[in-house]
Amino acid sequence: MATHSALEFVTPLTLGALAEAPVHTELMSLTQEREMGHIRLAREADLVVVAPITAHTLARLANGLADDLLTAMLLARRGPTLLAPAMNAGMWENPATQRNVAQVVADGYLLAGPTSGALACGESGVGRMAEPLDILEAARRALSDKPLAGRRILITAGPTREAVDPVRYVSNHSSGRMGFAIAQAALRLGAEAELVHGPVSLPPVLGAQMTAVTCAEKMQAACLALWPRCDAAVMTAAVADFRPESAPTSKIKKQPGQERMTLELTRNPDILAAVCAARRPGQVVMGFAAETDDLLANAQAKLARKGCDLLAANDVSDTRIGFGSERNRITLLAPGAEPQAWPEMDKETLAEKLLLALAQRWDAA
């Protein structure tokens, strides 16, 4: 379906060819309206996505107008509808627009964006349409069951960086993909997501509360501040076990003839153990163990040492499922239960399965 304004940018022929479907444009179509086309379109779709939606169309929706095919269809619709606003930053921030947004949300419409960035007018600010993949993810959330509705989940992701000096640091190869996939899955399953992450090169998770940190001490502080209002924690971050004992404020220079340098390291805080120790009744903690050998023995020892409810162990020596890969294979452990060896799968699918396993702990409580 395309509005008259949309057809100023792209023709119905082009849209139809790309969609491999007819393009509906007219409310008073002689062919469609003999069958009450706007009613049929409203009822047939599992989900309607309006992308982009302008300030003008938002205003019409907020006031219940039905003066073209799109607004008539939306007024007749009873199922979920996702709106992806796009406009100039000043228009988005205008009190009238904000009143209209509040009204459509109160009426049950779902929003994806807008985000901040470069705008078509040449300015920069909030008003940019959400990226297509983010709109797709919002659509998936709208159509998903919500077994985690009402829950808030704390998730850690990525590596930590421990400063050697202002230029260098100690870190690891974690990409953060697993933790970001879990945050996406948590939102899709109806939960709120608190995502505390180290330095990563991944786009933000739309809808998650993002907290960016650098080192282990800051990650622990952020986690312990958020933990009291969460129902569960999924600790995927690869936290450095040690950090340099001191980090000078100036770059360390190599000296003439120097062949070696000794770096004194000190123990970092154990974030998973700290979260487990601060757990209250009803809270569930899932840890992760990235191992290179003796996977099961090392994971079982970690489960007992940390005191978590569940532990997902994976073999990072396998490059197909190690750091930075899009797939993973884990063995899930729980106190007093037989380890469950899961098959290899993409991290998106794995994230949902892990959260559903976590939800079973609540159901059993």
Side-chain angles (χ1 to χ4, degrees):
M1 184 182 300
T3 64
H4 290 167
S5 295
L7 298 180
E8 297 290 334
F9 294 90
V10 60
T11 67
L13 180 62
T14 301
L15 284 174
L18 292 172
E20 298 182 352
V23 178
H24 304 278
T25 60
E26 299 295 337
L27 178 58
M28 296 303 176
S29 166
L30 292 177
T31 55
Q32 293 292 323
E33 285 310 306
R34 283 184 300 183
E35 304 172 351
M36 300 298 286
H38 67 286
I39 304 297
R40 179 178 59 80
L41 292 168
R43 303 277 169 81
E44 284 182 348
D46 295 314
L47 175 71
V48 170
V49 179
V50 185
I53 185 167
T54 63
H56 179 62
T57 302
L58 274 172
R60 289 188 291 154
L61 285 188
N63 289 279
L65 300 183
D67 55 355
D68 65 359
L69 179 59
L70 174 63
T71 51
M73 183 274 292
L74 292 176
L75 198 62
R77 181 164 171 74
R78 294 174 180 170
T81 300
L82 177 66
L83 311 176
M87 64 196 72
N88 171 267
M91 296 174 70
W92 174 254
E93 294 165 1
N94 189 284
T97 302
Q98 291 304 304
R99 284 196 303 272
N100 293 332
V101 169
Q103 183 60 58
V104 298
V105 170
D107 289 343
Y109 290 97
L110 306 172
L111 291 185
T115 62
S116 181
L119 305 175
C121 60
E123 297 178 2
S124 184
V126 178
R128 181 184 177 90
M129 189 181 80
E131 293 299 318
L133 287 178
D134 288 332
I135 297 172
L136 177 61
E137 175 59 30
R140 293 182 63 185
R141 293 177 195 172
L143 293 172
S144 296
D145 292 334
K146 302 293 187 292
L148 302 185
R151 301 289 190 177
R152 184 189 297 268
I153 301 178
L154 170 65
I155 302 137
T156 64
T160 61
R161 289 179 180 175
E162 311 301 331
V164 173
D165 61 19
V167 178
R168 307 175 183 92
Y169 55 83
V170 177
S171 190
N172 58 65
H173 298 295
S174 174
S175 66
R177 286 182 183 274
M178 191 70 249
F180 274 56
I182 288 173
Q184 288 275 27
L187 291 162
R188 195 178 304 134
L189 297 174
E192 296 180 66
E194 294 280 359
L195 178 56
V196 179
H197 64 89
V200 296
S201 299
L202 298 171
V205 177
L206 189 69
Q209 298 299 312
M210 311 279 290
T211 303
V213 299
T214 304
C215 64
E217 290 181 310
K218 290 182 178 178
M219 181 172 283
Q220 175 168 276
C223 289
L224 293 180
L226 294 167
W227 184 220
R229 61 176 184 265
C230 294
D231 300 289
V234 183
M235 313 295 282
T236 76
V239 182
D241 292 322
F242 294 88
R243 68 181 185 276
E245 196 166 61
S246 62
T249 56
S250 299
K251 178 183 175 182
I252 300 172
K253 298 285 189 179
K254 63 182 178 185
Q255 302 302 315
Q258 182 182 6
E259 297 296 332
R260 297 176 183 275
M261 185 181 83
T262 300
L263 192 63
E264 294 288 338
L265 301 178
T266 188
R267 186 72 176 264
N268 259 331
D270 189 327
I271 304 175
L272 176 57
V275 167
C276 287
R279 175 180 42 193
R280 68 172 186 272
Q283 286 181 310
V284 179
V285 181
M286 178 185 291
F288 269 67
E291 303 293 345
T292 57
D293 50 65
D294 295 330
L295 177 72
L296 196 54
N298 285 329
Q300 287 173 326
K302 183 172 183 177
L303 177 69
R305 189 170 65 252
K306 305 291 186 179
C308 45
D309 302 286
L310 295 164
L311 189 124
N314 65 310
D315 182 359
V316 294
S317 67
D318 186 339
T319 56
R320 294 179 303 106
I321 57 171
F323 290 131
S325 69
E326 295 187 0
R327 300 181 66 78
N328 205 346
R329 182 177 63 246
I330 66 102
T331 298
L332 188 65
L333 295 88
E338 286 295 314
Q340 300 176 29
W342 290 4
E344 181 182 326
M345 64 190 81
D346 64 85
K347 288 181 176 177
E348 187 176 281
T349 302
L350 177 59
E352 286 201 14
K353 286 177 64 68
L354 286 170
L355 289 173
L356 293 175
L358 183 147
Q360 290 177 356
R361 306 290 295 193
W362 285 316
D363 295 339

